[in-house]
Amino acid sequence: GAGVSQSPSNKVTEKGKDVELRCDPISGHTALYWYRQRLGQGLEFLIYFQGNSAPDKSGLPSDRFSAERTGESVSTLTIQRTQQEDSAVYLCASSLWAGQGNTGELFFGEGSRLTVL
Amino acid sequence: GDSVTQMEGPVTLSEEAFLTINCTYTATGYPSLFWYVQYPGEGLQLLLKATKADDKGSNKGFEATYRKETTSFHLEKGSVQVSDSAVYFCANYGGATNKLIFGTGTLLAVQP
């Protein structure tokens, strides 16, 4: 597609429920990133994919968070047993590749706003 | 580890005032440096970048120079407009980490 697409744009859920957030990167981009932005705070790195593998999962806050990517395309971020502190905007970004020679320009989607009641 | 520190906001200026938002970084090796902007109700977008020391990134009247000796990448604009009101994020991308590390963001409010 023309840009990074994320869905849903807004999600309200009850504490304890599971949620899935989807990211469709720019076609041909092999690197895909997930960030979290809590209200009034900066961007917190969660995980990135190079192709379908995730070399760096260091930012995932707990084992309730997981992500996968298939076909070097769509990625899904899953949050199990949501808590109120999970409320945030979850941003997805993609780039041509990650690593040597990449100058690091990322293209961001508009985010999925998650509210946990 | 890699990090970015930028001045806290909010920064409130009158239209046509001079803007500086300070940013310093720590990184292993030679990172690329970025300023991203988030306008109200919109997604994050790249404003400008510099990929090596002494490079100057520029866009929409904004400039930032990659200073290796002071590990800084301060954002400047000579004359701000109301339409520049947004949150500005400084970021570094290191080849060793393969990810963008962001500062906490600086809210700029420009008043007519």
Side-chain angles (χ1 to χ4, degrees), chain A residues 33 35 37 40-43 45 48 56 58 91 97-100 102-110, chain B residues 32-34 36 38 41-46 49 51 89 93 95 97-105:
Chain A
Y33 300 76
Y35 286 83
Q37 186 177 23
Q41 298 188 22
L43 277 76
F45 169 80
Y48 91 89
D56 189 344
S58 62
L91 291 168
W97 70 87
Q100 191 71 28
N102 183 15
T103 57
E105 181 175 351
L106 270 59
F107 296 82
F108 282 83
E110 295 195 3
Chain B
S32 297
L33 302 174
F34 301 83
Y36 279 80
Q38 190 172 35
E42 297 186 18
L44 204 64
Q45 56 188 278
L46 178 67
K49 69 178 181 181
T51 58
F89 292 91
Y93 180 90
T97 63
N98 295 335
K99 61 192 181 192
L100 264 181
I101 305 296
F102 285 88
T104 53

Side-chain angles (χ1 to χ4, degrees), chain A residues 49-61:
Chain A
F49 290 88
Q50 179 62 51
N52 292 334
S53 64
D56 189 344
K57 306 179 184 179
S58 62
L60 294 177

Side-chain angles (χ1 to χ4, degrees), chain A residues 11-67:
Chain A
K11 175 72 177 179
V12 179
T13 190
E14 293 179 348
K15 177 181 172 181
K17 301 282 189 183
D18 297 353
V19 297
E20 283 190 354
L21 307 176
R22 175 189 167 106
C23 173
D24 205 338
I26 292 171
S27 178
H29 280 191
T30 65
L32 186 148
Y33 300 76
W34 284 99
Y35 286 83
R36 178 169 73 175
Q37 186 177 23
R38 288 170 161 159
L39 187 64
Q41 298 188 22
L43 277 76
E44 178 185 0
F45 169 80
L46 298 179
I47 185 172
Y48 91 89
F49 290 88
Q50 179 62 51
N52 292 334
S53 64
D56 189 344
K57 306 179 184 179
S58 62
L60 294 177
S62 73
D63 60 8
R64 296 187 296 104
F65 287 72
S66 63

